[in-house]
């Protein structure tokens, strides 16, 4: 069963924006990422709307086995995407931090670069070569195709049900890794743990006491690091593989918007990195 | 355990206002006592229930809980429910053995309009007789614990029968037999109440000041009781705080039966009086002597 963010059309973008505004006032130390997010969300919202109206033949795999992701990103029409990507960059770059603006300008300047970047990203291929040509790091360059594709993938995924018995640590819709976990009470289960996809924002149920990266389930190897404020976001650490991801406990703050709250708790990422941990899937802003 | 075999004498029958014929033997009331503080959540009782009662295996999946299934069903009469709650900053498991509590005042039986579909025995067991069930599901609505489950296949309702065939043979129910930590005890109701008191004292001494026995008065007490460590958190165990058996249907049935009986008697009396006053009807009075 999947509920929540990815199931609600359009209005979710406004919900995210309002949450970002609220957290901006409450958590001034997280202002830079939140302010940038506030510039990004309207552009993504527009892409989401466009994507729901566009035709995407072959994007959803029907009749696939239950262990295969349902969304075929590499089947999306690059010809259809590239013009929108250029428009997206045009709207985004004036509001981007200097480093991103510089890299983005390089992408914006050449249509073949945009095409190659999208093609590589959708196929899940390494971006290092393109990044080298733009004199930047692959993880910095990844921001652009990911920010662009997020709302499109979300729109494509929202109408397809997540298989109930999906047990994998990658997204049942697009096959990408989870960016965060959330805990929620519902009619069937208290404290249901769901992983949230870093790309299409789909949610799928995952076992509570298991590392989503290496599958470690010995209690002595799994740690929770919480802080007094906020109490509803904490770090899940696996000592076996040194991976971490943040969990948003919606039972403690039902008004939290996981994707936004995750970005607004940048201090937890800094602390985890200082501890020598690495994140299973950095958020959109690279943290 | 010193419980007699074949201790099944009927106490109440659904859709029947008359009490059952008194038995000639004294039947001890039996009860199960579930000590939640000793339960380790192994679900062996669930398996034992399925095995003994020959219930169909139902495929399940990880739906985000430690429970085996989301809910009870016509083929799952016993479900260990797992809830969690933070108390004073510590995670606490609230495990409940969810199955029929075999109420002394059974709301299901009171609500049932089908004669003989639900039977309460003198020993406290409330059993469903599917042969007489008409599938109306009034029992589902009448149960304050939301236990009976309707089968769309057979159009009948099912629930735990406390392994009545085992009890009749002097054995304990299958869940009691299999529990590896003795969290489920079985015996006479009086013995189980005494045991519950002992367990309560133990829990109190262990620091569970709000520990409680769950044997709610609103249903006249139950024949499956709980000892819960956190008696102030009954809803977190999935236990209603003040369950009540609705006797309205039963009372209405009794009134209508009585009225029907009076009217029947009155009809016979009127016929007799008419006979005495007018005499037998002659053939001439109807067709003019033709």
């Amino acid at each position: 069963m999947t509920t929540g963010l990815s199931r609600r059309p359009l209005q979710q973008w406004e919900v995210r924006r309002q949450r970002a505004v609220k957290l901006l006032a409450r958590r001034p130390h997280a202002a830079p990422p939140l302010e940038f997010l506030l510039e990004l969300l309207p552009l993504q919202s527009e892409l989401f709307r466009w994507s729901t109206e566009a035709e995407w033949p072959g994007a959803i795999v029907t009749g696939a086995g239950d262990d295969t992701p349902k969304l075929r990103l590499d089947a999306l029409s690059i010809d259809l995407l590239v013009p929108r990507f250029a428009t997206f960059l045009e709207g985004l770059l004036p509001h981007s931090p200097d480093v991103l603006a510089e890299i983005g300008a390089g992408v914006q300047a050449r249509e073949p670069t945009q095409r190659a970047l999208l093609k590589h990203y959708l196929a899940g291929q390494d971006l290092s070569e393109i990044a080298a040509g733009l004199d930047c790091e692959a993880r910095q360059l990844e921001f652009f195709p990911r920010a662009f594709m997020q709302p499109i993938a979300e729109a494509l995924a929202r109408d397809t049900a997540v298989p109930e018995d999906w047990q994998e640590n990658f997204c049942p819709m697009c096959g990408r890794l989870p960016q965060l976990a959330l805990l929620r009470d519902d009619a069937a289960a208290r404290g249901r743990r769901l992983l949230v996809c870093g790309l299409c924002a789909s949610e799928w149920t995952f076992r509570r006491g298991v590392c989503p990266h290496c599958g470690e389930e010995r209690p002595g190897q799994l740690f929770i690091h919480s802080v007094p404020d906020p109490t509803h976001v904490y770090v899940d650490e696996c000592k076996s593989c040194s991976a971490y991801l943040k969990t948003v406990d919606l039972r403690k703050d039902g008004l939290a918007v996981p994707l936004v709250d995750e970005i607004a708790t940048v201090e937890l990422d800094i602390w985890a990195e200082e501890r020598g941990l690495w994140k299973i899937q950095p958020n959109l802003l690279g943290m | 355990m010193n419980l007699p075999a074949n201790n099944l004498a009927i106490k109440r029958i659904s859709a029947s206002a008359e009490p059952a014929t008194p038995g000639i033997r004294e039947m001890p009331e039996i009860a199960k006592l579930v000590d939640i503080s000793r339960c380790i959540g192994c679900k062996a009782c669930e398996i034992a229930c399925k095995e003994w009662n020959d219930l169909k295996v139902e495929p399940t999946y990880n739906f985000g809980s430690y429970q085996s299934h989301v809910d009870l069903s016509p083929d799952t009469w016993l479900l260990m429910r797992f809830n969690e709650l933070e108390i004073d900053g510590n995670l606490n498991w609230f495990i409940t053995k969810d199955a029929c509590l075999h109420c002394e005042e059974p709301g299901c039986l009171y609500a049932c309009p089908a004669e003989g579909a639900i039977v309460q025995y003198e020993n406290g067991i409330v059993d469903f007789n599917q042969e007489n069930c008409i599938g109306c599901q009034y029992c589902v609505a009448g149960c304050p614990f939301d236990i009976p489950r309707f089968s769309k296949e057979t159009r009948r309702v099912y629930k735990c029968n406390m392994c009545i065939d085992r009890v009749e043979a002097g054995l304990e129910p299958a869940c009691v037999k299999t529990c590896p930590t003795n969290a489920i005890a079985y015996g006479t109701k009086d013995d189980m109440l005494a045991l519950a008191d002992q367990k309560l004292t133990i829990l109190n001494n262990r620091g569970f000041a709000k520990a409680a026995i769950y044997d709610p008065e609103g249903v006249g007490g139950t024949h499956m009781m709980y000892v819960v460590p956190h008696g102030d958190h009954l809803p977190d165990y999935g236990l209603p705080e003040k369950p009540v058996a609705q006797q309205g249907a039963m009372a209405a049935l009794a009134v209508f039966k009585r009225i029907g009986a009076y009217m029947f008697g009155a009809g016979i009396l009127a016929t007799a009086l008419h006979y005495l006053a007018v005499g037998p009807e002659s053939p001439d009075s109807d067709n003019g002597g033709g």
Side-chain angles (χ1 to χ4, degrees):
Chain A
M1 188 177 82
T2 294
T3 53
L5 300 178
S6 61
R7 303 298 112 187
R8 288 184 237 124
L10 270 177
Q11 119 193 33
Q12 74 221 23
W13 300 95
E14 178 57 18
V15 170
R16 287 174 195 172
R17 192 193 66 78
Q18 287 180 11
R19 182 65 178 175
V21 169
K22 194 173 278 182
L23 290 178
L24 188 60
R26 202 183 292 170
R27 307 180 64 74
H29 61 275
L34 286 172
E35 282 168 350
F36 182 49
L37 184 66
L38 282 167
E39 299 294 346
L40 179 63
L41 284 173
L43 298 171
Q44 288 192 316
S45 170
E46 178 53 27
L47 277 171
F48 181 88
R49 191 195 57 74
W50 169 72
S51 182
T52 54
E53 292 166 2
E55 298 269 332
W56 302 101
I60 304 290
V61 183
T62 51
D66 279 349
D67 55 350
T68 312
K70 304 288 175 253
L71 200 55
R72 278 201 58 196
L73 293 175
D74 57 348
L76 301 181
S77 165
I78 297 288
D79 291 336
L80 196 62
L81 290 171
V82 168
R84 295 299 302 199
F85 189 38
T87 311
F88 173 73
L89 290 174
E90 199 177 314
L92 181 68
L93 294 186
H95 308 289
S96 299
D98 292 345
V99 179
L100 280 181
E102 195 178 323
I103 301 167
V107 177
Q108 194 181 22
R110 296 188 66 241
E111 197 262 2
T113 309
Q114 295 167 23
R115 187 171 286 272
L117 184 56
L118 284 180
K119 202 169 181 181
H120 276 67
Y121 182 76
L122 294 179
Q125 293 169 348
D126 186 19
L127 304 179
S128 299
E129 203 175 312
I130 305 171
L134 293 166
D135 200 20
C136 65
E137 292 176 29
R139 65 181 183 89
Q140 294 171 316
L141 182 61
E142 190 198 0
F143 166 79
F144 296 101
R146 186 173 168 196
F148 172 70
M149 284 309 301
Q150 253 191 354
I152 297 170
E154 199 170 326
L156 286 167
R158 78 189 168 104
D159 290 330
T160 307
V162 171
E164 281 185 336
D165 54 354
W166 187 263
Q167 298 289 310
E168 309 297 338
N169 63 349
F170 55 88
C171 175
M173 302 309 298
C174 69
R176 303 294 165 111
L177 294 172
Q179 178 185 321
L180 65 116
L182 57 89
L183 294 179
R184 168 190 292 153
D185 285 344
D186 59 37
R190 276 198 177 186
R192 180 199 294 269
R193 184 196 203 189
L194 297 127
L195 300 182
V196 181
C197 177
L199 181 62
C200 69
S202 292
E203 299 166 2
W204 69 99
T205 303
F206 199 75
R207 288 168 63 196
R208 278 280 285 278
V210 177
C211 168
H213 176 252
C214 69
E216 177 62 79
E217 49 186 284
R218 287 174 293 174
Q221 296 295 99
L222 301 170
F223 292 88
I224 288 173
H225 303 286
S226 58
V227 289
D229 179 36
T231 54
H232 71 286
V233 185
Y234 58 81
V235 171
D236 269 316
E237 175 196 352
C238 172
K239 215 172 171 61
S240 295
C241 65
S242 298
Y244 84 95
L245 89 167
K246 285 193 279 188
T247 293
V248 179
D249 192 341
L250 292 173
R251 302 168 308 168
K252 291 184 175 169
D253 186 349
L255 297 175
V257 178
L259 287 170
V260 180
D261 285 51
E262 202 267 352
I263 287 174
T265 47
V266 59
E267 70 276 14
L268 294 179
D269 293 294
I270 295 170
W271 176 86
E273 243 178 68
E274 284 175 354
R275 196 180 158 85
L277 306 176
W278 61 276
K279 204 172 188 179
I280 293 174
Q281 172 65 62
N283 61 34
L284 183 60
L285 306 185
M287 294 177 291
Chain B
M1 158 191 355
N2 296 313
L3 291 172
N6 194 19
N7 57 355
L8 297 178
I10 291 171
K11 183 175 184 178
R12 286 193 187 99
I13 300 174
S14 61
S16 174
E18 307 303 325
T21 310
I24 55 169
R25 292 174 296 166
E26 192 174 325
M27 296 296 167
E29 273 190 55
I30 57 167
K32 286 193 285 192
L33 179 68
V34 183
D35 181 355
I36 298 294
S37 70
R38 295 190 71 161
C39 177
I40 55 171
C42 69
K43 308 185 187 86
C45 51
E46 280 187 29
I47 307 297
C49 175
K50 286 250 180 197
E51 279 193 333
W52 183 261
N53 293 294
D54 201 18
L55 299 174
K56 203 164 58 184
V57 171
E58 293 175 298
T60 187
Y61 60 97
N62 174 19
F63 52 90
S65 165
Y66 286 94
Q67 286 173 211
S68 62
H69 296 81
V70 174
D71 199 6
L72 294 167
S73 79
D75 288 307
T76 299
W77 297 351
L78 191 176
L79 179 69
M80 296 308 295
R81 292 194 185 273
F82 292 72
N83 288 338
E84 60 178 70
L85 195 70
E86 265 189 31
I87 298 176
D88 300 330
N90 294 315
L91 179 72
N92 283 265
W93 278 113
F94 284 73
I95 305 176
T96 315
K97 177 177 178 286
D98 195 21
C100 178
L101 281 84
H102 299 273
C103 308
E104 181 58 26
E105 301 289 338
C108 58
L109 188 147
Y110 292 154
C112 178
E115 188 163 358
I118 303 179
V119 176
Q120 184 183 32
Y121 294 95
E122 288 285 357
N123 63 8
I125 292 178
V126 178
D127 192 17
F128 282 15
N129 182 0
Q130 277 80 22
E131 286 176 7
N132 292 1
C133 176
I134 57 173
C136 67
Q137 302 180 62
Y138 284 12
C139 55
V140 176
C143 174
F145 300 102
D146 185 30
I147 297 295
R149 289 293 182 272
F150 178 69
S151 165
K152 287 179 182 169
E153 289 171 21
T154 64
R155 314 291 299 172
R156 303 285 185 270
V157 181
Y158 300 84
K159 69 160 191 73
C160 158
N161 60 13
M162 218 197 270
C163 293
I164 191 165
D165 45 354
R166 290 179 61 89
V167 169
E168 192 181 6
L171 300 170
E172 70 274 67
C175 56
V176 181
K177 169 88 173 169
T178 202
C179 180
T181 60
N182 292 331
I184 316 172
Y186 170 73
T188 65
K189 172 99 184 197
D190 290 342
D191 285 350
M192 291 302 101
L193 281 171
L195 181 62
D197 278 335
Q198 290 173 24
K199 288 176 177 290
L200 202 59
T201 307
I202 292 169
L203 281 172
N204 287 337
N205 292 339
R206 281 174 54 196
F208 293 99
K210 300 281 176 61
I213 300 167
Y214 190 73
D215 182 27
E217 285 178 12
V219 293
T222 59
H223 294 270
M224 180 171 80
M225 301 178 289
Y226 298 96
V227 175
V228 292
H230 301 282
D232 51 337
H233 284 277
L234 289 178
D236 291 308
Y237 289 103
L239 299 171
E241 287 180 298
K242 290 181 180 173
V244 177
Q246 301 293 343
Q247 297 196 37
M250 192 71 167
L253 188 68
V255 170
F256 284 129
K257 273 200 164 183
R258 194 56 55 92
I259 291 172
Y262 285 144
M263 288 181 74
F264 183 72
I268 291 175
L269 186 64
T271 305
L273 288 174
H274 180 270
Y275 182 84
L276 291 173
V278 182
E281 201 171 357
S282 68
D284 297 345
S285 59
D286 254 5
N287 52 22

